[in-house]
Amino acid sequence: MFRRKIRQYLPTPEHFDQLVWARPFKRFLAHPNIWALNRKSIAGGVAAGLFCGLIPGPFQILGALMWVLVAKVNMPVAFVTTLYTNPITIVPLYLIAVAYGQFLLGEIGEARVSAVPDWNWSDWGGSTHAMLDWMWSMGPSLAVGLPALMVTLSVLGYCSVRLAWNVGVRVAVVRRRKRVFQKPA
């Protein structure tokens, strides 16, 4: 029932004919899997969003769009899933990536993470430069840990959605069987 309600808001191939700016992209955007509400497409969209959510800066949605167009997974889910990173969560996630990189490189306890620079809202350029310098100071640990964390989160997200979907389907089947076999005589 939930999927039926959502489907009425999803675009159709004819929708892209009406939008002048979207006509050149119709062959990409009108693919049915990009808007599909099935377990493979949704799980792929979650994986794309989790992977691309750790891309620095404003390139997360662009990265998710490229993944969606190549893998033909659910675009809205991929875009929404990238939002797990924001100015509050990005620093802890990058610290986790550094720790993960240190673990993978066998450097646990050897390297120290420098203090996170303060963000000055009135000086975006200087703050961004300070944040990039901070990331650069972490060197190989971040260079190894960030892609590894991206892949790990992506695989875990994909598998979790597939597992949850299968459990939901099995629960629905059991409920349906109980209703069918318990009809009053």
Side-chain angles (χ1 to χ4, degrees):
M1 186 167 129
F2 179 69
R3 283 195 287 173
R4 271 186 263 143
K5 286 187 178 199
I6 290 178
R7 276 198 184 111
Q8 68 187 6
Y9 298 109
L10 294 178
T12 61
E14 295 78 31
H15 176 75
F16 296 108
D17 286 332
Q18 297 170 0
L19 300 172
V20 176
W21 64 268
R23 284 184 196 145
F25 309 107
K26 179 183 175 186
R27 76 178 190 153
F28 302 112
L29 295 176
H31 193 283
N33 271 354
I34 290 177
W35 306 101
L37 297 173
N38 58 49
R39 80 181 87 186
K40 183 180 177 187
S41 184
I42 298 288
V46 167
L50 288 173
F51 185 88
C52 295
L54 286 174
I55 295 174
F59 303 109
Q60 298 169 341
I61 297 291
L62 183 62
L65 177 65
M66 285 192 261
W67 182 319
V68 163
L69 294 177
V70 169
K72 304 293 189 248
V73 296
N74 192 290
M75 185 166 46
V77 169
F79 287 178
V80 168
T81 306
T82 62
L83 299 177
Y84 78 98
T85 55
N86 55 55
I88 295 170
T89 62
I90 195 70
V91 172
L93 285 167
Y94 271 60
L95 291 173
I96 291 169
V98 168
Y100 198 26
Q102 289 174 347
F103 172 75
L104 293 174
L105 294 172
E107 298 176 352
I108 300 287
E110 294 177 18
R112 296 277 177 206
V113 176
S114 59
V116 179
D118 291 329
W119 187 266
N120 183 358
W121 291 100
S122 61
D123 182 21
W124 282 77
S127 295
T128 302
H129 184 68
M131 189 64 74
L132 290 173
D133 286 343
W134 174 72
M135 288 170 32
W136 187 257
S137 72
M138 291 182 230
S141 298
L142 184 64
V144 170
L146 190 60
L149 184 62
M150 292 165 86
V151 170
T152 302
L153 289 176
S154 182
V155 169
L156 287 173
Y158 183 85
C159 293
S160 298
V161 170
R162 292 291 298 248
L163 179 67
W165 197 294
N166 285 340
V167 168
V169 167
R170 289 174 194 246
V171 167
V173 167
V174 167
R175 286 182 183 162
R176 193 174 311 125
R177 284 184 182 160
K178 284 183 180 179
R179 277 191 307 227
V180 169
F181 292 120
Q182 290 181 358
K183 285 185 176 178

